[in-house]
């Protein structure tokens, strides 16, 4: 019996969210003929969120920002053939200036603004179904970017730009098992060779490169302390 009820749990949750959005008014989720209702718009946003999350991980702020951007309405392209034939008419008669009918481009429709409460309903829905988790997102992001040779300083900056909370980032970096000094050393060796340069001019190139990749000064200095030993 519990197995038969499980598929309906998601519908019940969404219905509650829609009731909050509509301020306790009757939900239109189950009335597909009312395509302009809040329920249909929220369902469309949920589909957008699912596509975005299927492409890659997102934090809450980044997903919210993308959902608030209204999609551009579709504009049917003009018939180029008829437009071309209309331009050929002037050479075929004496009344070209009076008879020319130029195809004027139709003004692009203004995209409909997406209400913040609709986006919030989708964000809540994603959390309920465990599609969003900034803590796990930060951990996975650190793992992925460090595997590509980026240091903690740059990764922190990128996560901040994506709207992840500072405290979450700090904890995630503290809990990671990445050896940043070893990573900086491996990256420098791949770029400059096993025998790293020791004269200042060439050594400064290593310094600038690793700083650009997001490593801290002390991590860069450690590879030379190990190298000198």
């Amino acid at each position: 019996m519990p197995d038969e009820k499980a598929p309906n749990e998601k519908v019940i949750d969404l219905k509650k969210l829609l009731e909050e959005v509509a301020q306790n008014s009757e939900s239109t989720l189950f009335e597909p003929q009312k395509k302009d209702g809040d329920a249909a718009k929220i369902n469309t946003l949920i589909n957008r969120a699912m596509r975005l999350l299927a492409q890659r991980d997102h934090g809450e702020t980044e997903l919210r920002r993308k959902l608030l951007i209204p999609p551009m309405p579709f504009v049917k392209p003009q018939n180029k053939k008829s437009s071309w034939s209309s331009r050929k008419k002037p050479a075929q008669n004496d009344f070209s200036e009076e008879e020319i009918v130029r195809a004027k481009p139709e003004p692009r429709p203004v995209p409909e603004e997406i209400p913040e409460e609709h986006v919030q309903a989708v964000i809540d829905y994603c959390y309920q179904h465990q599609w969003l988790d900034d803590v796990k997102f930060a951990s996975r992001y650190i793992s992925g970017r460090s595997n590509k040779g980026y240091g903690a300083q740059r990764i922190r900056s990128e996560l901040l730009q994506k709207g992840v909370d500072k405290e979450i980032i700090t904890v995630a970096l503290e809990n990671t098992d990445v050896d940043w000094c070893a990573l900086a050393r491996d990256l420098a060796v791949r770029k400059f060779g096993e025998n790293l340069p020791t004269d200042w001019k060439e050594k400064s190139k290593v310094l600038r490169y690793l700083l650009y990749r997001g490593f801290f000064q002390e991590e860069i200095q450690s590879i030379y302390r190990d190298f000198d030993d």
Side-chain angles (χ1 to χ4, degrees):
M1 193 67 180
D3 294 337
E4 296 179 357
K5 293 182 178 179
N8 294 326
E9 291 180 357
K10 294 183 179 180
V11 176
I12 295 173
D13 290 339
L14 181 55
K15 186 176 180 181
K16 289 180 180 179
L17 287 172
L18 294 174
E19 288 175 352
E20 293 178 4
V21 172
Q23 296 181 345
N24 297 323
S25 62
E26 183 179 356
S27 174
T28 60
L29 176 61
F30 307 106
E31 300 177 22
Q33 68 274 16
K34 297 182 179 179
K35 294 183 180 179
D36 295 331
D38 285 346
K41 294 177 181 178
I42 292 177
N43 276 332
T44 300
L45 280 178
I46 289 176
N47 289 332
R48 282 182 61 192
M50 290 175 66
R51 289 195 299 270
L52 289 169
L53 292 170
Q55 292 170 4
R56 65 169 178 82
D57 274 345
H58 285 69
E60 177 189 331
T61 301
E62 184 182 21
L63 181 62
R64 184 189 299 275
R65 184 165 55 240
K66 289 184 177 181
L67 292 177
L68 281 170
I69 299 175
M72 292 300 296
F74 174 77
V75 178
K76 185 178 180 180
Q78 294 180 352
N79 191 328
K80 294 184 178 180
K81 184 176 181 180
S82 61
S83 177
W84 171 253
S85 61
S86 67
R87 287 199 294 269
K88 293 179 66 178
K89 286 181 180 179
Q92 299 172 357
N93 59 73
D94 298 331
F95 304 98
S96 58
E97 294 183 0
E98 297 179 4
E99 295 180 358
I100 290 178
V101 179
R102 296 190 180 275
K104 295 182 179 180
E106 296 182 2
R108 181 176 290 274
V110 178
E112 183 180 357
E113 185 176 353
I114 298 177
E116 291 188 9
E117 58 267 25
H118 287 188
V119 174
Q120 184 59 53
V122 176
I123 294 295
D124 292 342
Y125 185 76
C126 289
Y127 270 118
Q128 284 189 357
H129 292 77
Q130 299 180 348
W131 297 343
L132 274 180
D133 188 328
D134 274 9
V135 174
K136 293 181 180 179
F137 169 70
S139 178
R140 289 192 292 263
Y141 192 86
I142 292 170
S143 177
R145 295 298 277 170
S146 62
N147 286 337
K148 292 184 178 180
Y150 291 99
Q153 186 169 224
R154 177 158 174 168
I155 294 173
R156 176 187 290 274
S157 177
E158 291 175 352
L159 283 171
L160 287 172
Q161 290 177 2
K162 291 180 179 295
V164 181
D165 185 77
K166 291 181 179 180
E167 188 64 29
I168 291 177
I169 300 172
T170 299
V171 173
L173 286 170
E174 289 175 351
N175 292 335
T176 185
D177 57 358
V178 178
D179 187 335
W180 300 107
C181 295
L183 181 59
R185 168 72 181 182
D186 291 342
L187 197 64
V189 168
R190 288 201 302 268
K191 179 72 173 178
F192 299 97
E194 183 65 34
N195 297 320
L196 295 178
T198 54
D199 66 283
W200 172 245
K201 184 177 180 179
E202 295 300 318
K203 192 175 180 179
S204 63
K205 294 180 180 179
V206 179
L207 174 66
R208 288 195 300 269
Y209 175 70
L210 292 177
L211 285 174
Y212 166 76
R213 301 292 292 193
F215 293 91
F216 290 99
Q217 285 274 7
E218 59 187 49
E219 294 164 353
I220 301 171
Q221 292 172 1
S222 73
I223 71 174
Y224 273 97
R225 285 196 302 269
D226 296 339
F227 175 79
D228 292 338
D229 293 342

